Amino acid sequence: MEVYYSKDKKNCCTNSIGEIIEKIAKTQRDVCNTCANLVTCDACFFGNQFNTIPIRLTLCCSGAPVEAVIGAGGPVTTYFRVECVTNERFVKLRLLSATVVDGVVVLAGTNYTIVLDLECVGSIQCFEPINIIATPVV
């Protein structure tokens, strides 16, 4: 896993964090070239194993991790999947639920997303690619 820090906190979209986010979005899009929903795609060029590069982000000003609540009153997560980047500034992130099984963090897709301004991001931590299967919409 790698952590990247922004050198220019005022214009994040011209530094490595914005570039990395866009590369992750493109890689995940390229993995699934025939399906509409990337989270449930099974047409991966990685040998049908990986469709997601999980990430964690921190905020510029406080250095605090980006957190989001899964559902109304649900658990808080700090793990995300990049869905898309808009206007080279805003990133739509899918929330990933995290559970610990035998001391290992296991991530699962959710039906919840947030939109984050890349100008607020101070660092990004990338994890090994995994396969995420979306939870059914209830």
Side-chain angles (χ1 to χ4, degrees), residues 5-59:
Y5 294 94
S6 168
K7 292 182 180 176
D8 178 8
K9 293 182 180 179
K10 292 183 181 176
N11 191 356
C12 213
C13 299
T14 61
N15 64 32
S16 62
I17 291 175
E19 292 169 2
I20 290 167
I21 294 283
E22 288 184 14
K23 285 180 184 178
I24 289 171
K26 182 185 180 324
T27 299
Q28 292 176 160
R29 254 190 333 268
D30 290 348
V31 164
C32 307
N33 54 7
T34 60
C35 62
N37 185 351
L38 294 178
V39 175
T40 60
C41 177
D42 57 3
C44 299
F45 68 79
F46 289 114
N48 290 341
Q49 292 179 346
F50 310 118
N51 63 5
T52 299
I53 299 170
I55 62 170
R56 291 177 75 179
L57 304 165
T58 61
L59 300 172

